[in-house]
Amino acid sequence: MAISFTPLHPLFAAEVSGIDIAAPLTPEDAAAIDAGMDQYAVLVFRRAVPLSTDAQVAFSRGLGPLEDVAYTAIKAGKEARLADPHVSDISNLGADSALLERDNRRRLFMLGNRLWHSDSSYKATPAKYSLLSAHVVPPQGGDTEFADMRAAWDALPDWEKDQARHLVCRHSRLFSKGTLGFDFTEAEKTAFAPVPQRLVRRHPGSGRLSLFLSSHIGAIDGMSKPEALMLLRDLTEHATQRGFVYAHRWRVGDLVMWDNRCTMHRGRNYDDARYPRDLRRTTLTDAAPTLEQAA
Ligand code: OGA
Ligand code: MN
């Protein structure tokens, strides 16, 4: 059966059928998935049962190199619940699988996922695709929203495109989690040094331009802080209008893959003191820092 895509939104995001993602990935299927990603930027694979973490890692590797995990090793006192270092634990559970306490440092750190962002935009070479699978979902809330940053770019008036086109932003988790008032250790302050990224980048697979926004941005080169932060607020408000957003309501077994080069995403509120939410992420690395990519 051939892979097919059913759109989930007028602009982007599609559900995929005709592929068993638990089976070894053929080069033809990998190429078809890349083509679907280039067009839709968010792909949803629905399964009756969640993919095992080993199978998720294998499927992800079939699409390209995974992120270097050493970089993310400095975490907020994270006891590993999931053994594989290539799997990010996007849950509200501790190593003992119990709900994290309200003041747990990892829980507070993870609240940053509810700000609009692009994964690992704070790394010199940011993320390409992220793949998130649902093992346990809460009865209400906890959706993940995605914003189409190519459509957002296209919809900007020319004078605003000109204002943004050549800007370089500084990204760090100090900025994103800092806006929530999170306290960092001295080691984290050193490790989370800001990195430069283009504000407008060309998406190679589609040739389209895209806004590369993220809550990790805290400065724009050559601009005063108030001017930079105001411009970022304006652009983010524009880019996350409801018309540019697909909201994913999770079902157990779903695997959602998104292209961090041309989308932003955020988790939504849920009652995490009462209900477990167990999502697991694998992440592909991009080829180079955005400043080294063709504009
Ligand atoms: C992520 C993320 C949001 C969510 O996994 O990268 O931002 O809804 N998740 O959990
Ligand atoms: Mn994320």
Side-chain angles (χ1 to χ4, degrees):
M1 190 177 156
I3 293 187
S4 62
F5 303 98
T6 307
L8 294 166
H9 183 278
L11 294 170
F12 72 135
E15 184 170 332
V16 187
S17 50
I19 181 172
D20 176 9
I21 58 174
L25 190 63
T26 64
E28 294 74 30
D29 283 349
I33 290 172
D34 276 332
M37 286 295 281
D38 284 343
Q39 181 173 354
Y40 294 106
V42 178
L43 294 180
V44 175
F45 301 82
R46 302 248 191 219
R47 288 171 48 86
V49 288
L51 208 53
S52 73
T53 48
D54 286 349
Q56 180 173 340
V57 170
F59 176 65
S60 306
R61 273 192 211 285
L63 295 168
L66 302 186
E67 274 195 334
D68 177 7
V69 288
Y71 194 108
T72 41
I74 305 172
K75 271 282 166 69
K78 181 172 179 175
E79 333 73 17
R81 185 176 66 95
L82 306 173
D84 192 324
H86 285 104
V87 180
S88 302
D89 187 356
I90 310 295
S91 79
N92 59 338
L93 306 172
D96 54 1
S97 291
L99 296 173
L100 295 175
E101 298 290 329
R102 217 167 189 107
D103 59 355
N104 179 281
R105 200 160 183 270
R106 184 167 94 80
R107 173 175 178 271
L108 300 180
F109 195 83
M110 297 255 304
L111 287 174
N113 278 349
R114 292 205 218 151
L115 300 170
W116 285 109
H117 65 283
S118 175
D119 287 335
S120 303
S121 71
Y122 53 80
K123 294 187 185 180
T125 296
K128 183 184 179 188
Y129 300 161
S130 291
L131 299 87
L132 189 59
S133 64
H135 292 250
V136 179
V137 301
Q140 62 255 317
D143 291 2
T144 305
E145 293 183 343
F146 298 90
D148 182 344
M149 306 304 286
R150 292 179 295 190
W153 169 260
D154 291 345
L156 277 180
D158 284 343
W159 66 269
E160 276 193 289
K161 284 182 175 161
D162 291 340
Q163 212 176 36
R165 203 181 296 271
H166 300 296
L167 296 177
V168 173
C169 300
R170 299 278 153 175
H171 295 237
S172 168
R173 285 181 278 188
L174 297 176
F175 297 137
S176 47
K177 280 129 179 57
T179 58
L180 297 179
F182 188 83
D183 287 321
F184 295 95
T185 63
E186 289 308 313
E188 286 165 346
K189 284 181 195 164
T190 309
F192 297 168
V195 302
Q197 306 287 3
R198 282 186 209 286
L199 178 57
V200 182
R201 58 190 301 196
R202 192 170 297 279
H203 181 259
S206 62
R208 295 175 64 188
L209 290 175
S210 185
L211 276 173
F212 193 41
L213 288 169
S214 186
S215 296
H216 300 307
I217 304 176
I220 299 179
D221 288 1
M223 231 184 231
S224 70
K225 186 142 186 155
E227 195 183 359
L229 295 188
M230 196 60 243
L231 177 61
L232 292 164
R233 274 198 196 205
D234 275 344
L235 289 173
T236 302
E237 201 174 304
H238 163 77
T240 58
Q241 298 173 56
R242 295 322 294 174
F244 298 142
V245 172
Y246 163 68
H248 186 73
R249 174 89 207 122
W250 290 98
R251 288 189 227 152
V252 170
D254 289 353
L255 182 134
V256 178
M257 172 158 64
W258 62 89
D259 189 337
N260 288 291
R261 300 169 302 177
C262 60
T263 59
M264 278 205 293
H265 62 280
R266 66 171 178 180
R268 300 311 314 267
N269 188 16
Y270 69 103
D271 189 351
D272 70 338
R274 258 178 85 185
Y275 298 110
R277 180 177 187 263
D278 180 358
L279 271 54
R280 302 177 188 187
R281 198 184 87 203
T282 41
T283 316
L284 270 58
T285 184
D286 200 355
T290 53
L291 288 172
E292 293 171 21
Q293 297 180 25

